[in-house]
Amino acid sequence: SLIDGAADTHLEYGFVRAIMQTYSNAQDELVQVEIYEMRDAAAAYGIYTFHAGDEAKPTDIGDEGVLGEYYVMFWKGAFFVMISGSESDAAQEAILTQAAQSIASKLQGDGQRPPLAEQFFHLSDAPMAVKYLKGAIGLFNLSQFDGNVINGFEEGASVEYGTFDVVLLRYASEQDAAKNFEQASRAYSANANVTNFSAQANAFSFENSEGTLVRGEQMQAFFCLISGKTAQDAAAFCQVIVALELAPQ
């Protein structure tokens, strides 16, 4: 099927159905169109961030889009669209862009980024690097953290932010966050590749096999995971977002 090879990832985000069509012109230049209907706008945004390259150029198509060397992708409402070509010249870029604009105009509905991802988007100095997570598969593929150890969350967001990488996960309750925090703390303390493990109330830290500092901190119903040289700065980053998420609307 169309999602073979990435089926588990698409299903984790909320896949409903998909269609694909390949077109060619008189010069035998090929354009492939893939349209994915997801469960809701958050699911469409999530799978878009999973696929969108950090180096792609933002483009004003749909609710949000990017233009790569051989492709255009965007999300609009509950739909995620990828359009790819066989060339990387300006003429092909114009064809891909025109096709994307035409498809976007025909798709119903508009969407907004999930609030957690929105906070990351505005606080990050590299908004294209923000990834929205809905489960352990996305976490494993989009961060260095093991989805077998850290799981059970309802949503999350990750970003490479200067001198550190940060993942913030939201759980259904403070109790659920505490349970997974304790599970992760035990797993890392017993890991032979971990050195200098230290645990405090609601926080742990260690150095991984590459000598990178890693810190985990529970913040009410949130679990913040940090790696990099300036872990304390990253903890403050998480604290700001958690405060915004918990503030009365």
Side-chain angles (χ1 to χ4, degrees):
S1 69
L2 183 55
I3 63 171
D4 280 352
D8 289 345
T9 302
H10 284 75
L11 291 170
E12 179 175 87
Y13 276 103
F15 172 81
V16 176
R17 56 183 173 173
I19 59 172
M20 181 189 76
Q21 182 67 52
T22 300
Y23 301 91
S24 63
N25 60 14
Q27 290 74 44
D28 289 327
E29 295 173 325
L30 300 179
V31 172
Q32 179 171 290
V33 177
E34 302 172 37
I35 303 176
Y36 298 82
E37 182 180 359
M38 306 298 288
R39 182 173 55 236
D40 52 28
Y45 172 75
I47 200 66
Y48 162 79
T49 66
F50 183 88
H51 286 288
D54 297 351
E55 303 303 320
K57 298 184 295 184
T59 184
D60 187 22
I61 300 176
D63 290 316
E64 187 175 342
V66 291
L67 175 64
E69 189 173 3
Y70 292 91
Y71 67 87
V72 175
M73 64 178 64
F74 68 91
W75 70 284
K76 182 181 180 184
F79 295 93
F80 165 60
V81 179
M82 289 196 293
I83 306 173
S84 55
S86 54
E87 304 294 333
S88 61
D89 54 26
Q92 179 85 106
E93 180 178 312
I95 291 171
L96 297 179
T97 300
Q98 183 178 16
Q101 291 170 335
S102 177
I103 292 170
S105 70
K106 294 176 174 63
L107 294 176
Q108 300 298 311
D110 295 300
Q112 295 183 331
R113 298 185 198 97
L116 181 61
E118 185 75 12
Q119 306 291 5
F120 268 68
F121 193 88
H122 287 295
L123 289 175
S124 172
D125 60 356
M128 287 308 304
V130 174
K131 307 297 182 182
Y132 182 63
L133 310 171
K134 286 296 288 182
I137 299 171
L139 177 69
F140 175 78
N141 281 280
L142 297 174
S143 79
Q144 63 171 288
F145 298 106
D146 188 346
N148 292 320
V149 174
I150 299 163
N151 48 50
F153 56 91
E154 293 203 331
E155 64 171 348
S158 68
V159 71
E160 298 177 6
Y161 192 85
T163 56
F164 59 82
D165 298 344
V166 59
V167 175
L168 184 62
L169 308 174
R170 182 179 67 81
Y171 288 77
S173 67
E174 187 170 345
Q175 291 74 22
D176 287 345
K179 180 180 178 180
N180 194 238
F181 170 83
E182 291 298 331
Q183 172 182 299
S185 182
R186 290 193 300 269
Y188 285 123
S189 67
N191 190 318
N193 295 317
V194 163
T195 58
N196 298 322
F197 182 87
S198 175
Q200 307 86 35
N202 298 326
F204 60 75
S205 62
F206 61 86
E207 291 182 14
N208 63 19
S209 59
E210 298 176 349
T212 301
L213 177 64
V214 178
R215 178 180 175 87
E217 185 170 343
Q218 182 198 348
M219 304 174 180
Q220 299 188 49
F222 293 83
F223 187 1
C224 183
L225 294 150
I226 306 146
S227 62
K229 295 180 180 179
T230 57
Q232 193 55 48
D233 291 341
F237 181 93
C238 282
Q239 289 162 2
V240 168
I241 292 179
V242 169
L244 291 170
E245 285 289 295
L246 296 175
Q249 300 299 314

